[in-house]
């Protein structure tokens, strides 16, 4: 059996991977997107489906990605190609790596715009630009911030430059060093924010909103959004986790690190909800305010509270750091690929990728002002980037990787990478072969309007379908010509 590739770089510290991967996972997705989506899709039911997606789809696929990364020791393109070749498969499988790398790149191009909002609101709170604003003022400030392409462009450019600088400095000196102080800092700030929310007066209402489950209230749109968000929040199928996994030392347990990252990410999302909704409710505001929730309702709510602006500043500092630690992970795949496969130095790779990124992100940024008219099917460049990546590229990329790990790659490879007990390994295999793919496919079919899912009533049918798939798959797999040879070797 061919063994693992030799690494060129490894995380230095024991916590290197966990901090970097958690830094990647915890970001605007947790603090900005999760609360506003929960608000839009009706609260508890969305949260429940989202949690189910994290467990049934997110965790198994994250393990797949880390294993691909560590086994192939390289960018998604190179790592997937090497692992496929080790299994006697063609180079074509590296297309999945291409898609992941592109997906990370596309996400970053709109992500820096939102991160720019966070940085600019940090500046506004610190410089006193929000003090004494009414509801209308807040909306006007948010609108003015977006309407001026120079202002908005300044902030997103700043985020791009900071990201490229950190990534260009290297895996250990840039990425690892920056996450090792930003992540602990964020935890402290989040704890302060929750403490503040507990005393804000709306805590009970916030808790009820997040945790009162009524599955009937969830639309198909909400289901697909929950699935897409599970991928987004765990940074899956976009090259980030896979590339970070390429630097994971041989002895680290993939299962343990995956659970740590997934639990930390989920806790931060729930905690962000617990920090935000009470403040919103305490001030009688609408939880379904959409993307502006953080930037209009929240500062307004803070402002009405004792020492509100201080806490608003802490909040936006936390948000900015969360965004930055995610942004660096999205571009690392591209930089690693340019560096290893194209022989370009890290610094040059980083700044040239940054330039292309900046061009695309400027287009996304212009959606809010000059390009307000440039729409396709009613959506701007910014919306398209978000829509295509989180609704399609991530779930489909994840589906591809799960099926590849489950059926295409030699079993012995994942067995040795994951280092699980036989029982846990079988459970993982069952998840990547049947549960995750079925979940992704069903939610897709549902979103296309071909069937209508009602989880509350149809679960016995869904279980029966899963059983049928499993039995069929297990019967067919050993009978597939190539797979039999592959299995025979393992
Ligand atoms: N997980 C990040 C968040 O929740 O904000 C977003 C993200 C990071 C997506 C890295 C994709 C990625 F590769």
């Amino acid at each position: 059996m061919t063994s693992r590739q030799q690494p060129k770089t490894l995380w230095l510290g024991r916590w290197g991977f966990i901090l970097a991967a958690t830094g990647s996972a915890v970001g605007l997705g947790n603090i900005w997107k999760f609360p506003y989506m929960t608000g839009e899709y009706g609260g508890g039911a969305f949260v429940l489906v989202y949690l189910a997606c994290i467990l049934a789809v997110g965790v198994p696929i994250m393990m797949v990605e880390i294993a691909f990364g560590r086994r192939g020791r390289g960018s998604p393109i190179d790592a997937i190609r090497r692992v496929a070749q080790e299994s006697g498969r063609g180079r074509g499988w590296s297309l999945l790596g291409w898609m992941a790398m592109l997906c990370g790149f596309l996400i970053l191009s709109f992500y820096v715009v939102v991160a720019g909002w966070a940085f600019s609101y940090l500046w506004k709170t610190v410089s006193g630009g929000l003090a004494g604003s009414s509801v209308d003022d807040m909306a006007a400030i948010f609108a003015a911030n977006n309407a001026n392409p120079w202002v908005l462009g300044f902030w997103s450019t700043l985020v791009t430059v900071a990201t490229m600088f950190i990534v260009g400095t290297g895996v250990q000196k840039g990425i690892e060093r920056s996450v090792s102080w930003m992540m602990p800092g964020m935890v402290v700030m989040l704890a302060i924010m929750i403490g503040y929310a507990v005393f804000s007066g709306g805590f009970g209402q916030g808790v009820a909103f997040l945790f009162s489950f009524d599955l009937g209230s969830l639309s198909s749109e909400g289901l697909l959004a929950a699935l897409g968000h599970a991928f987004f929040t765990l940074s899956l199928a976009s090259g980030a986790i896979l590339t970070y996994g390429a630097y994971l030392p041989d002895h680290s347990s993939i299962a343990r690190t995956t659970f740590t990252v997934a639990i930390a990410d989920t806790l931060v999302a729930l905690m962000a909800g617990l920090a935000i909704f009470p403040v919103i409710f305490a001030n009688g505001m609408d939880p379904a305010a959409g993307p502006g929730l953080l930037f209009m309702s929240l500062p307004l709510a803070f402002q009405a509270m004792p020492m509100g602006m201080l806490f608003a500043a802490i909040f936006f500092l936390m948000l900015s750091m969360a965004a930055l630690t995610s942004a660096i992970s999205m571009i690392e795949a591209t930089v690693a690929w340019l560096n290893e496969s194209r022989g370009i130095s890290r610094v040059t790779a980083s700044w040239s990728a940054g330039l292309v990124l900046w061009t695309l992100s400027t287009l996304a940024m212009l959606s809010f002002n000059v390009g307000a008219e440039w729409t396709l099917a009613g959506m701007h460049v910014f919306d398209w980037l978000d829509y295509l990546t989180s609704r399609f590229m991530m779930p489909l990329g994840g589906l591809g990787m799960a099926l590849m790990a489950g059926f295409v790659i030699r079993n012995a490879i994942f067995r040795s990478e994951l280092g699980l007990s036989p029982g846990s390994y079988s459970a993982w295999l069952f998840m990547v072969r049947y549960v995750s793919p079925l979940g992704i496919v069903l939610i897709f079919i549902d979103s296309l309007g071909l069937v209508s899912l009602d989880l509350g009533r149809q679960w016995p049918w869904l279980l029966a379908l899963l059983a049928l798939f499993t039995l069929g798959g297990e019967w067919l797999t050993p009978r597939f010509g190539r797979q039999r040879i592959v299995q025979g070797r393992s």
Side-chain angles (χ1 to χ4, degrees), residues 6-85:
Q6 283 305 312
K8 290 193 198 65
T9 318
L10 285 179
W11 300 109
L12 261 184
R14 223 163 83 80
W15 290 91
F17 177 81
I18 300 229
L19 286 175
T22 310
S24 170
V26 171
L28 295 167
N30 304 60
I31 308 173
W32 166 69
K33 227 175 171 189
F34 175 75
Y36 94 70
M37 286 175 100
T38 306
E40 272 185 0
Y41 293 112
F46 175 81
V47 177
L48 187 66
V49 174
Y50 158 80
L51 291 177
C53 289
I54 293 277
L55 211 66
V57 182
V59 166
I61 293 184
M62 187 184 268
M63 290 168 68
V64 169
E65 285 207 33
I66 303 177
F68 265 127
R70 184 164 73 180
R71 187 68 169 198
R73 294 280 188 211
S75 70
I77 298 172
D78 297 313
I80 294 183
R81 192 198 62 237
R82 286 181 194 131
V83 179
Q85 285 175 338

Side-chain angles (χ1 to χ4, degrees), residues 11 112 116 153 183 282 300 331 351 360 378 386 388 392 411 445 478 490:
W11 300 109
V112 293
M183 294 313 290
L300 194 66
I331 199 75
W351 291 111
L360 195 58
D386 182 9
L388 281 180
F392 293 96
N411 287 356
I445 297 181
S490 65

Side-chain angles (χ1 to χ4, degrees), residues 21-34 50 65 100 103-105 107-108 110-111 229-241 265 322-323 325-331 333 394:
T22 310
S24 170
V26 171
L28 295 167
N30 304 60
I31 308 173
W32 166 69
K33 227 175 171 189
F34 175 75
Y50 158 80
E65 285 207 33
C103 182
F105 198 88
I107 294 176
L108 188 54
F110 73 89
Y111 203 84
H229 190 62
F231 276 97
F232 186 85
T233 193
L234 293 180
S235 310
L236 297 179
S238 29
I241 294 295
D265 183 73
T325 54
S326 296
I328 55 182
S329 73
M330 288 178 220
I331 199 75
M394 292 180 128

Side-chain angles (χ1 to χ4, degrees), residues 115-140:
W117 289 348
F119 277 70
S120 76
Y121 270 72
L122 172 61
W123 170 246
K124 284 188 208 304
T125 45
V126 173
S127 64
L130 295 179
S133 308
S134 64
V135 182
D136 294 341
D137 296 340
M138 279 300 176

